[in-house]
């Protein structure tokens, strides 16, 4: 059922790697991002942020700032408290004893992370606002900080919220199969303590907001750097009290998100508050340094994991305890990430009879943690792929062979795993074989041995994954505490001239759905792709949608679009039968034409039908005018993309430097609408995961100060540190998706961290290295080698 | 991104720059801006006035001066890296200049601004100290020449007086049979040197006749590695002697090795011999080529 | 005290009185409304603000507007002529060298600078030429391909 991606390119626009429609405006500097808008009378906001990780605010003196040149107003939490409600958490995991605590847009009495908002200056110019910021005097009484989630959960740790005893935000458990029996009967148990270090998403466009409030009408318009404008409208309405029908949210061009533009952050609400108080447009754009302390972070798990197996390498069970740092407050989707998106994925591509995981969400005096590309799934994949490699090491078997022994056999429609999920379709063996062939695995092992004999340390790392995408059935969303639905909607509208307008609820920010969605519509309706325009990002003219994250835009939004398009086709068929005076069941469709079966000359193009439907001169009885359809698609199941990635590294034993020499990615995201875009998603995803393995880490000191607070210290991957990524694919359609697609946005990140990490550990095998904390900085690798030499 | 206000003054001659410096206590000199502007943007510096010396054409350019090259203070890193004279007769300097920041930084950043800023992780000081270069500092009453090894005095501090301006750097040229090299352990984010090692080696009939070595990045300011120099002088120009001599660098490091969240002092100290060894090998190889 | 400056922007002289602290990128974006040039960091790392200053690529966040007085600046808005994309713009489009587009204007000028100094770069040289520009979407690979394609097509213009 898998098809090699080297098959001849299809003639259809669906499946064709056409150039993106988005690009001309982006290439010429004419695209407008939030920071690029300026409204008449606009003022600028600069936010004063806590320099302390944890402190009581004794007093705030804003008098000098208010008197500074150009200053329009200075507000503190005392001004906004009661006007703005606390920022709600939108994923309230049931049966987890979840304890929320008020997350105020501006702190009132206590700050709980460096970067917590304390006051705002609004001035005529941005420079004046920042000048005045220095004139606000805040008297803080520092309190003790705690930055490590495991330590924060210990008795006697500094305490953040009275609502959450012991700093425990929630305790969630997933269990399937008889885990005690698995470990009791095991021949082999391997264990590890894994730190999934805290990462900073670093979308290249920082966050920002521009708010315009018209007191006379009570209407609020917000330009916002967001992945989900409709959720922003919903939550903004809850926090500000502005009714949703008076609230318009525009996500204009958005410069990447990677999860950091899912949540509504303090700056968004502060900007809106200022605009409403002043009746004047207010713009706030964070600086990168501000972004690093105040916009969300990702990962931050401490994982104690163990795997039970037989001596011949069959996995019997996986057990884990995870302490997931939440930061000072629960961000919008935070609790769902280490639980639903992580714990439920602990079977990966393997047959594992018993799984149990305890997850503690823990408050720490750090920047709130949110989704970051992959969100929970990289942490699960990494955990499993480490354990499988440790098992291979323990039983002296090839890591690929151990994987093979445990893979779920190919299935086309449904496979249940111990965590309770039912995967849609998969051919894990196929992806593995493709990757092994592409990298030349057997030869590589020979080369590795030869290199070692010469004192060169080459390593090969394999990572297999299954991810959960296409979030998701709304009924499941409700059952797992998500405070919203997870369906998507689309409207497809034919104009009389035969041009097509598509309006979607999802909100791309780099993924290219203006192109891929046009391809879907063009393919379904037989119109030119250039005749289809996709509109998104403005709540005023797009139907409701829950946003672009979790690789769901195409998996859910694309399905809504396909169904709306098919409704149009059905109506067109009816109208054709009426106009050609033939029975509906005798009307065939091919290549944009409806015709009477057996009489291809008796035909109407879709454009003919669009015109006739719109002028409505001759419609069948009961048919409404126009050629337009909408769809609300609520998926029956998640989609489960999968794949195998293999990395080859060389370690410099003198310095500990890791050089990434080769990388092969084989991903299966079901049918591909635009393989060029799929490949681009994999490139970027893989590189972000490599970043976690080798370079990226947000480091706090004991006092809760972020030591990696700028791009001078926080190392995101750069071009010269990377090899080409060799991207391949297999195609296993999702059985339940109208287009057979699954989603590709996060696959690369989910797989690559473990692939690179396993490769480095493999390279260091002669030094008997088992485990090194990520990122694998030269010093850490060097220390492991040094310790290994001494052993 | 939002500097505090300052007064902007522009000098078109050294004399004018000195006049402005005298009249504006606390003023900062602005050359390419790649040391000062980042500080201004983050308000880590808030001088009352900034004197732009960019227009002083006499501070620009590379010219031979006896056995040395005189490199004007306003010469950009890109110009130093691209200069045929520098590449031929001070290869280590060209190599270091080619590795400062990134291409756009090298297009604006200047050698004078770089050394006056004296960031301990900067590349150029290490090379200048190794090559026995000198800094020409011009004060209101004339100029003086400061050996590079005496110019850098601490973290972001130099021997430059408040009323002096760096006018040029004078770098002795390598002769036939002499090679130099700079190797660097670059920080993955900042691109500054975690450890930098510069070497100039004169090879005569397979023997290291003269050896000059300096290290930077891991110490408060670039410093000569005289223990290494002594150990290698007179030894055969081969891998074993480079390794043995480089190991002596620990004696040169002193007790003030820097450490940070990316690389501890212990690790940096352990890396110094590795990078010194590599610099020696590269320099000696070049000596053989010239 | 404000300082009068005149800068030729994309071939047209633009004069203004600016505070000395105003960065060139702020002058372009906030005074002239040329918002194609982006700000992605505050430490001169990301390269989103790259423009040509007298034909040479610079980070406009690390240059005061007053320093550019009398100079010629080319921004992304000035690269296409008469609606015709430049070779680099075409190549970025053809090779899918951009996703969210935020780093793209700077990335194009980094590529321009590379091809100015090295018209036929190897993939490795291209990667080094891009070391001052950050992209979080593409993993750089298709940007490298785009620069190769532009070089093969005869250059940057």
């Amino acid at each position: 059922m898998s098809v090699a991606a080297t098959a001849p390119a299809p003639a259809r626009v669906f499946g064709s790697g056409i150039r993106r429609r988005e690009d001309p405006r982006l290439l010429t500097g004419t695209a407008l991002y939030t920071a690029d808008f300026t409204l008449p009378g606009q003022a600028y906001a600069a936010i004063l942020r806590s320099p302390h990780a944890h402190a009581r605010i004794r007093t705030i003196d804003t008098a000098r700032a208010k008197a500074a040149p150009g200053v329009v107003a200075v507000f503190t939490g005392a001004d906004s408290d009661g006007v703005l409600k606390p920022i709600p958490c939108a994923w309230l995991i049931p049966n987890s004893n979840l304890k929320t605590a008020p997350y105020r847009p501006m702190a009132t009495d206590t700050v709980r992370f460096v970067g917590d908002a304390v006051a705002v200056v609004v001035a005529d110019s941005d420079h004046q606002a920042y000048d005045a910021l220095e004139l606000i005097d805040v008297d803080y009484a520092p309190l003790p900080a705690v930055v490590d989630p495991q330590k924060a959960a210990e008795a006697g740790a500094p305490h953040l919220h009275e609502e959450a005893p012991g700093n425990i935000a929630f305790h969630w458990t997933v269990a399937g199969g008889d885990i005690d029996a698995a470990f009791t009967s095991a021949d082999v148990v391997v264990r590890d303590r894994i730190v999934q270090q805290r990462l900073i998403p670093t979308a290249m466009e920082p966050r920002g907001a521009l708010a315009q409030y018209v007191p006379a009408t009570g209407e609020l318009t917000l330009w916002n750097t967001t992945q989900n404008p409709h959720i922003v409208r919903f939550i903004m309405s809850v926090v500000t009290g502005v009714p949703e029908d008076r609230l318009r949210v525009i996500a204009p061009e958005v410069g990447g998100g990677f999860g950091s533009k899912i949540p509504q952050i303090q700056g968004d609400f502060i900007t809106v508050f200022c605009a409403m108080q002043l009746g004047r447009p207010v713009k706030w754009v964070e600086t990168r340094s501000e972004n690093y302390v105040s916009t969300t972070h990702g990962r931050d798990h401490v994982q104690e994991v163990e795997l039970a197996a037989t001596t011949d390498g069959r996995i019997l069970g996986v057990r884990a305890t995870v302490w997931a740092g939440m930061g000072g407050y629960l961000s919008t989707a935070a609790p769902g990430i280490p639980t639903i998106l992580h714990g439920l994925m602990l079977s990966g591509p393997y047959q594992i009879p018993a799984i149990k995981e305890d997850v503690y969400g823990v408050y720490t005096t750090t920047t709130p943690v949110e989704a970051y590309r992959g969100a929970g799934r990289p942490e699960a994949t990494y955990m499993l792929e480490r354990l499988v490699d440790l098992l291979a090491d323990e039983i002296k078997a090839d890591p690929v062979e151990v994987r093979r022994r445990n893979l779920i056999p190919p299935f086309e429609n449904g496979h249940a795993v111990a965590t309770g999920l039912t995967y849609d379709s998969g051919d894990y063996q196929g992806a593995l074989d493709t990757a092994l062939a592409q990298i030349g695995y057997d030869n590589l092992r020979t080369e590795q041995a030869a290199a070692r004999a010469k004192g060169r340390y080459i390593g090969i790392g394999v990572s297999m994954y299954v991810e959960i995408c296409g979030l998701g059935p709304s009924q499941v969303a409700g059952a797992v505490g998500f405070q919203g639905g997870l369906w998507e909607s689309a409207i497809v509208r034919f104009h009389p001239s035969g041009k097509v307008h598509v309006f979607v609820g999802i909100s791309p920010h780099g993924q290219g759905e203006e192109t891929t969605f046009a391809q879907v519509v063009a393919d379904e309706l037989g119109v030119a792709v250039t005749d289809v325009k996709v509109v998104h990002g403005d709540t005023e003219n797009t139907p409701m949608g829950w946003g672009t994250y979790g690789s769901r835009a195409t998996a859910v939004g694309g399905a809504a679009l396909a169904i709306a398009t098919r409704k149009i086709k059905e109506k067109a068929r009816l109208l054709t039968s009426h106009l050609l005076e033939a029975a509906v069941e005798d009307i065939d469709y091919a290549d944009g034409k409806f015709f009477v079966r057996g009489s291809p000359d008796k035909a109407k193009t879709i454009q003919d039908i669009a015109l006739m439907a719109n002028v409505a001169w001759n419609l069948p009885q009961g048919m409404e005018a126009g050629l337009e359809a909408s769809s609300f698609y609520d998926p029956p199941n998640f989609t489960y993309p999968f794949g195998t990635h293999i990395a080859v590294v060389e370690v410099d034993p003198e310095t500990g430097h890791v050089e990434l020499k080769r990388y092969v990615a084989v991903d299966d995201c079901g049918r591909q609408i635009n393989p060029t875009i799929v490949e681009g998603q994999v490139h970027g995803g893989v590189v972000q995961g490599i970043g976690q393995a080798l370079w990226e880490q947000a480091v706090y000191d004991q006092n809760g100060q972020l030591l990696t607070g700028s791009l001078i210290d926080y190392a995101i991957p750069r071009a010269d540190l990377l090899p080409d990524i060799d991207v391949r694919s297999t195609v296993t359609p999702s059985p339940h998706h109208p287009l057979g697609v699954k989603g590709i946005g996060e696959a690369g990140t989910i797989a690559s961290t473990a692939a690179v990490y396993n490769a480095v550990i493999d390279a260091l095998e002669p030094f008997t290295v088992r485990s090194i904390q990520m990122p694998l900085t030269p010093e850490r690798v060097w220390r492991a080698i040094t310790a290994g030499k001494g052993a | 991104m939002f500097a505090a206000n300052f007064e902007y003054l522009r000098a078109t001659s050294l004399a004018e720059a000195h006049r402005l410096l005298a009249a504006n206590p606390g003023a900062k000199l602005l050359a390419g801006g790649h040391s000062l502007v980042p500080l201004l943007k983050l308000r880590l510096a808030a001088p009352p006035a900034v004197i732009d010396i960019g227009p002083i054409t006499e501070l620009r350019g590379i010219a031979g001066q006896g056995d040395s090259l005189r490199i004007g203070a306003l010469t950009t890193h890109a110009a130093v890296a691209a200069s045929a004279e520098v590449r031929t007769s001070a290869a280590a300097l060209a190599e270091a200049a080619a590795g400062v920041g990134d291409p756009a930084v090298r297009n604006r950043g200047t050698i004078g601004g770089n050394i006056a800023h004296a960031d301990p992780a900067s590349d150029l000081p290490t090379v200048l100290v190794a090559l026995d270069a000198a800094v020409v500092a011009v004060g209101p009453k004339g100029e003086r020449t400061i050996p590079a090894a005496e110019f850098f005095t601490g973290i972001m501090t130099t021997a430059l007086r408040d009323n002096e301006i760096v006018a040029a750097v004078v770098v002795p040229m390598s002769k036939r049979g002499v090679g130099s090299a700079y190797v660097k352990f670059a920080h993955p984010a900042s691109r500054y040197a975690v450890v930098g090692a510069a070497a100039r080696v004169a090879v005569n009939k397979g023997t290291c006749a003269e050896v000059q070595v300096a290290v930077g990045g891991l110490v408060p300011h670039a410093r000569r590695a005289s223990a290494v120099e002594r150990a290698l002088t007179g030894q055969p120009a081969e891998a074993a002697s480079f390794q043995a001599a480089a190991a002596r660098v620990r004696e040169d490091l002193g007790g003030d090795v820097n450490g940070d969240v990316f690389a501890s002092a212990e690790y940096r100290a352990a890396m110094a011999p590795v990078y010194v060894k590599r610099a020696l090998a590269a320099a000696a190889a070049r000596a053989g080529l010239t | 005290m404000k300082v009068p400056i005149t800068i030729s922007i994309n071939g047209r002289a633009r004069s203004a009185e600016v505070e000395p602290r105003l960065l060139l990128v702020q002058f372009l974006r906030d005074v002239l409304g040329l918002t194609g040039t982006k700000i992605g960091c505050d430490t001169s790392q990301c390269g989103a603000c790259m423009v040509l200053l007298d034909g040479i690529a610079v980070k406009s966040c690390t240059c005061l507007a007053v320093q550019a007085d009398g100079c010629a600046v080319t921004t992304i808005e000035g690269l296409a002529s008469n609606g015709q994309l430049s070779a680099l713009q075409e190549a970025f489009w053809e090779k899918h060298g951009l996703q969210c587009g935020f780093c793209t204007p700077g990335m194009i000028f980094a590529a321009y600078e590379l091809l100015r100094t090295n018209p036929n770069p190897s993939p490795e040289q291209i990667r080094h030429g891009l070391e001052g520009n950050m992209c979080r979407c593409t993993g750089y690979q298709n940007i490298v391909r785009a620069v190769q394609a532009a070089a093969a097509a005869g250059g940057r213009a």
Side-chain angles (χ1 to χ4, degrees):
Chain A
M1 104 189 111
S2 291
V3 192
T6 44
R12 290 166 55 187
V13 69
F14 186 108
S16 169
I18 61 170
R19 303 203 290 190
R20 298 201 317 170
R21 324 266 308 266
E22 292 86 341
D23 291 357
R25 66 175 187 264
L26 297 168
L27 286 162
T28 52
T30 43
L32 294 173
Y33 299 73
T34 296
D36 300 337
F37 289 86
T38 299
L39 297 176
Q42 175 179 297
Y44 298 81
I47 297 172
L48 184 71
R49 297 187 176 277
S50 169
H52 296 283
H54 197 193
R56 293 242 166 254
I57 300 171
R58 286 206 192 93
T59 57
I60 305 177
D61 184 350
T62 60
R64 288 197 302 146
K66 280 178 174 157
V71 170
V72 178
V74 181
F75 300 110
T76 68
D79 300 306
S80 61
D81 214 34
V83 181
L84 298 179
K85 288 199 174 65
I87 305 169
C89 176
W91 205 335
L92 307 175
I93 307 293
N95 306 316
S96 72
N97 201 19
L98 187 121
K99 307 288 189 192
T100 59
Y103 183 9
R104 291 184 174 81
M106 283 191 278
T108 48
D109 56 351
T110 305
V111 288
R112 293 184 178 86
F113 64 95
V114 170
D116 208 350
V118 171
V120 58
V121 174
V122 183
D124 289 329
S125 83
D126 44 11
H127 281 84
Q128 289 169 327
Y130 281 91
D131 288 343
L133 218 51
E134 301 199 323
L135 303 176
I136 300 175
D137 298 307
V138 185
D139 183 12
Y140 294 101
L143 295 167
V146 60
V147 301
D148 178 292
Q150 198 175 14
K151 287 184 180 145
E154 288 170 1
H159 193 226
L160 273 81
H161 297 285
E162 61 184 51
E163 295 85 353
N167 296 321
I168 304 298
F170 56 86
H171 172 203
W172 176 86
T173 302
V174 59
D178 189 341
I179 194 71
D180 292 332
F183 277 84
T184 310
S185 62
D187 304 319
V188 183
V189 174
V190 290
R191 298 188 172 85
D192 202 4
R193 181 176 185 275
I194 295 167
V195 177
Q196 296 279 348
Q197 80 271 28
R198 180 181 278 256
L199 303 176
I200 307 181
T202 319
M204 290 320 301
E205 180 205 25
R207 290 202 56 159
L210 167 60
Q212 181 180 40
Y213 183 70
V214 181
T217 61
E219 289 179 330
L220 174 71
T221 305
L222 175 67
W223 287 260
N224 197 208
T225 55
T226 178
Q227 300 174 217
N228 29 255
H230 294 273
I231 296 186
V232 172
R233 181 179 58 184
F234 185 20
I235 293 183
M236 190 58 72
S237 173
V238 169
V239 172
T240 61
V242 177
E244 265 190 286
D245 62 305
R246 305 289 168 89
L247 224 165
R248 175 182 184 186
V249 177
I250 300 170
E253 214 71 66
V254 176
F258 315 113
S260 71
K261 290 172 185 169
I262 295 173
Q264 278 66 80
I265 56 175
Q266 289 177 315
D268 297 337
F269 300 104
I270 292 170
T271 307
V272 166
F273 172 77
C274 292
M276 292 181 71
Q277 291 292 310
L278 301 171
R280 180 176 170 182
V282 175
K283 179 156 86 175
W284 162 75
V285 178
E286 66 181 5
T287 64
R288 179 60 65 189
S289 303
E290 186 179 15
N291 169 270
Y292 266 32
V293 294
S294 65
T295 293
T296 51
H297 294 173
R299 312 276 191 269
D300 198 23
H301 286 197
V302 176
Q303 306 172 329
E304 289 185 352
V305 299
E306 53 187 347
L307 175 145
T310 62
T311 41
D312 61 353
R314 275 189 307 110
I315 302 171
L316 300 174
V318 168
R319 185 159 59 191
T321 305
V322 170
W323 292 264
M326 293 286 109
Y329 306 93
L330 292 182
S331 183
T332 309
I337 294 157
T339 53
I340 308 306
L341 296 178
H342 169 75
L344 297 184
M345 290 312 298
L346 283 182
S347 196
Y350 306 115
Q351 306 186 72
I352 303 179
I355 293 170
K356 180 167 193 284
E357 184 180 56
D358 283 276
V359 179
Y360 296 91
V362 186
Y363 287 110
T364 58
T365 55
T366 59
T367 299
V369 172
E370 247 292 345
Y372 170 56
R373 202 169 191 171
R377 289 151 290 172
E379 298 94 310
T381 296
Y382 180 92
M383 188 188 270
L384 276 177
E385 293 305 285
R386 277 308 300 146
L387 286 169
V388 172
D389 262 29
L390 288 171
L391 173 61
D393 187 50
E394 188 70 24
I395 63 171
K396 304 288 174 239
D398 186 285
V400 169
E401 189 46 41
V402 174
R403 284 176 172 79
R404 272 192 208 287
R405 281 176 212 168
N406 290 286
L407 288 179
I408 297 167
F411 59 99
E412 291 179 32
N413 198 355
H415 176 90
V417 293
T419 57
L421 297 175
T422 300
Y423 296 172
D424 57 348
S425 60
D427 181 2
Y428 309 138
Q429 184 80 46
L432 176 63
D433 290 339
T434 306
L436 292 171
Q438 188 60 27
I439 201 105
Y441 185 76
D442 295 335
N443 284 343
L444 264 179
R445 286 289 177 205
T446 313
E447 284 171 33
Q448 177 184 39
R452 268 184 200 167
K454 294 180 194 156
R456 287 179 56 201
Y457 297 90
I458 290 171
I460 307 153
V462 178
S463 170
M464 298 188 68
Y465 73 95
V466 178
E467 55 165 328
I468 181 169
C469 291
L471 276 59
S474 297
Q475 201 178 350
V476 177
V480 299
F482 186 76
Q483 303 296 297
L486 280 172
W487 47 267
E488 283 302 322
S489 64
I491 298 169
V492 179
R493 179 181 302 157
F494 257 104
H495 297 300
S497 60
K499 309 292 182 191
V500 186
H501 239 122
V502 174
F503 305 86
V504 293
I506 62 116
S507 191
H509 40 280
Q511 298 88 344
E513 273 94 1
E514 289 177 33
T515 303
T516 50
F517 279 13
Q519 286 179 265
V520 169
V521 172
D523 183 77
E524 293 275 340
L525 293 175
V527 299
V529 72
T530 46
D531 284 348
V532 184
K533 176 166 187 196
V534 178
V535 177
H536 61 83
D538 184 345
T539 59
E540 206 76 344
N541 61 17
T542 60
M544 175 70 187
W546 295 92
T548 295
Y549 44 81
S551 305
R552 68 186 298 279
T554 302
V556 186
L561 182 63
I563 289 169
T565 307
R566 288 169 192 176
K567 285 184 185 173
I568 284 202
K569 226 160 136 181
E570 250 346 277
K571 180 170 180 180
R573 186 190 301 274
L574 285 174
L575 184 50
T576 305
S577 90
H578 175 71
L579 294 171
L580 296 179
E581 298 176 335
V584 176
E585 49 275 17
D586 289 339
I587 302 296
D588 274 351
Y589 167 85
D591 301 330
K593 280 186 186 155
F594 295 89
F595 56 93
V596 180
R597 187 168 308 133
S599 312
D601 53 322
K602 286 189 77 178
K604 293 282 181 191
T605 65
I606 186 79
Q607 288 85 1
D608 295 335
I609 297 299
L611 179 62
M612 295 316 292
N614 273 291
V615 297
W617 293 334
N618 179 12
L619 300 181
Q621 191 155 24
M623 180 180 277
E624 292 178 354
L627 190 57
E628 171 171 333
S630 67
S631 168
F632 292 76
Y633 178 77
D634 204 337
N637 188 6
F638 301 94
T639 59
Y640 293 89
F642 59 89
T644 300
H645 289 205
I646 303 180
V648 181
V649 303
E650 180 166 357
V651 176
D652 179 342
E654 277 190 314
T655 64
H657 273 96
V658 174
E659 186 195 352
L660 189 53
K661 298 184 84 75
R662 288 181 65 198
Y663 197 98
V664 166
V666 176
D667 298 287
D668 193 321
C669 60
R671 292 179 69 208
Q672 300 184 7
I673 300 167
N674 185 320
T676 303
I677 288 179
V678 168
E679 189 190 14
Q681 287 292 312
V682 175
H683 289 158
V686 164
V687 167
Q688 282 187 335
I690 293 170
Q692 176 171 12
L694 296 182
W695 301 299
E696 299 185 35
Q697 58 174 340
V699 183
Y700 283 99
D701 71 9
Q702 291 303 304
N703 299 318
Q705 295 293 330
L706 183 63
L707 300 178
T708 53
S710 79
L711 284 167
I712 292 178
D713 305 296
Y714 186 88
I716 75 164
R718 299 215 206 195
D720 58 331
L721 298 174
L722 296 161
D724 269 10
I725 312 298
D726 184 359
V727 177
R728 308 278 151 167
S729 51
T730 57
V731 178
T732 306
S734 173
H736 65 71
H737 189 282
L739 299 170
V741 307
K742 290 191 171 191
I744 192 62
E746 297 159 294
T749 313
I750 289 166
S752 64
T753 308
V756 173
Y757 187 98
N758 282 344
V760 174
I761 298 295
D762 182 56
L764 301 180
E765 203 238 316
F767 304 107
T768 63
V769 173
R770 273 182 94 249
S771 179
I772 308 174
Q773 189 179 316
M774 289 191 294
L776 301 171
T777 61
E779 175 166 4
R780 287 176 179 166
V781 173
W782 174 81
R783 284 185 183 279
I785 293 170
T786 308
K789 278 179 180 163
Chain B
M1 288 301 289
F2 303 95
N5 251 322
F6 52 81
E7 191 179 355
Y8 176 75
L9 306 162
R10 197 177 280 165
T12 53
S13 69
L14 272 173
E16 188 178 10
H18 281 121
R19 252 196 328 276
L20 292 169
L21 261 182
N24 293 278
K28 289 276 185 195
L29 296 178
L30 176 71
H34 278 56
S35 297
L36 182 60
V37 175
L39 297 178
L40 294 173
K41 283 196 298 189
L42 296 173
R43 299 197 180 203
L44 296 173
V50 166
I51 302 166
D52 187 355
I53 59 170
I56 307 180
T57 48
E58 64 198 273
L59 297 183
R60 232 169 250 283
I62 301 169
Q65 180 180 295
D67 291 340
S68 297
L69 286 175
R70 185 186 166 101
I71 303 172
L74 291 181
T75 310
T76 63
H77 304 308
V80 172
S83 156
E85 294 98 317
V86 178
R87 291 160 73 132
T88 308
S89 54
L93 183 58
E95 205 159 31
V100 174
D102 58 61
V105 167
R106 296 193 283 274
N107 280 343
R108 292 283 293 170
T110 66
I111 189 167
N114 180 288
I115 64 170
H117 185 58
D119 192 306
S122 180
D123 303 300
L124 303 186
T126 308
V127 176
L128 297 178
V129 168
L131 299 188
D132 274 332
V135 178
V136 180
V138 181
K141 291 178 183 160
E143 71 173 45
R144 64 179 178 129
T145 300
I146 309 166
E150 292 165 27
F151 181 80
F152 302 103
T153 56
I155 295 175
M156 292 174 162
T157 52
T158 68
L160 204 64
R161 296 183 190 123
D162 282 350
N163 61 0
E164 285 181 324
I165 298 169
V166 174
V169 173
V170 178
V171 186
M173 292 197 273
S174 298
K175 300 183 186 64
R176 200 177 159 73
V178 180
S180 71
Y182 177 70
V183 294
K184 167 186 185 179
F185 178 160
H187 188 286
S190 71
R191 296 297 158 113
Y192 275 100
V194 175
V195 178
R200 176 177 264 172
V201 180
V203 180
N204 188 1
K205 293 176 186 154
T207 298
C208 299
E210 285 173 60
V211 182
Q212 296 160 243
V213 181
V215 291
L218 75 170
V219 280
H221 60 85
R223 68 173 57 138
R224 282 294 274 264
S226 45
V228 177
E229 295 173 349
R230 283 195 303 275
L232 189 61
T233 307
Q235 297 299 312
E238 60 186 35
S241 25
F242 300 145
Q243 174 144 6
R248 304 287 296 277
V249 73
R250 285 171 178 277
E251 297 164 38
D252 298 310
L253 291 179
D256 51 0
V257 174
N258 307 322
D260 66 10
V261 63
F262 174 72
S264 69
E266 183 193 355
Y267 173 65
R268 289 177 196 232
M271 288 304 104
V274 177
Y275 282 82
V276 168
K277 177 184 74 179
R278 292 176 183 184
L280 288 169
R286 284 193 183 134
L289 292 176
T290 51
Chain C
M1 203 180 69
K2 290 195 172 182
V3 177
I5 59 170
T6 299
I7 305 176
S8 168
I9 308 282
N10 300 328
R12 192 177 144 214
R14 306 294 294 265
S15 298
E17 295 217 331
V18 300
E19 285 187 338
R21 62 175 168 173
L22 195 73
L23 303 171
L24 177 57
V25 65
Q26 292 164 336
F27 177 70
L28 295 171
R29 289 178 52 83
D30 302 336
V31 178
L32 302 183
L34 292 169
T35 56
T37 305
K38 300 300 178 203
I39 299 172
C41 78
D42 48 7
T43 52
S44 313
Q45 303 284 317
C46 80
C49 65
M50 241 184 227
V51 299
L52 298 183
L53 183 64
D54 287 340
I56 290 172
V58 303
K59 292 184 170 177
S60 64
C61 74
T62 313
C63 178
L64 302 173
V66 289
Q67 283 180 287
D69 185 21
C71 298
V73 169
T74 305
T75 69
I76 192 69
E77 290 91 341
L79 211 52
S81 57
N82 301 323
Q84 193 72 35
L85 296 182
S86 72
L88 268 168
Q89 288 169 315
E90 274 290 346
F92 269 68
W93 191 10
E94 187 62 37
K95 297 295 175 187
H96 187 31
L98 63 154
Q99 291 181 26
C100 83
F102 198 79
C103 77
T104 307
M107 207 53 93
I108 283 176
F109 283 119
Y112 184 100
E113 174 72 9
L114 174 68
L115 296 183
R116 181 179 73 80
T117 52
N118 181 359
N120 290 300
S122 67
E124 194 187 341
Q125 287 170 329
I126 294 171
R127 287 183 177 275
H128 277 288
L130 302 175
E131 68 189 341
N133 294 72
M134 293 177 175
C135 170
R136 199 61 157 161
C137 294
T138 65
Y140 305 99
Q141 187 154 328
N142 285 341
I143 297 175
V144 174
R145 288 176 179 168
V147 179
Q148 279 178 297
R156 60 196 193 268

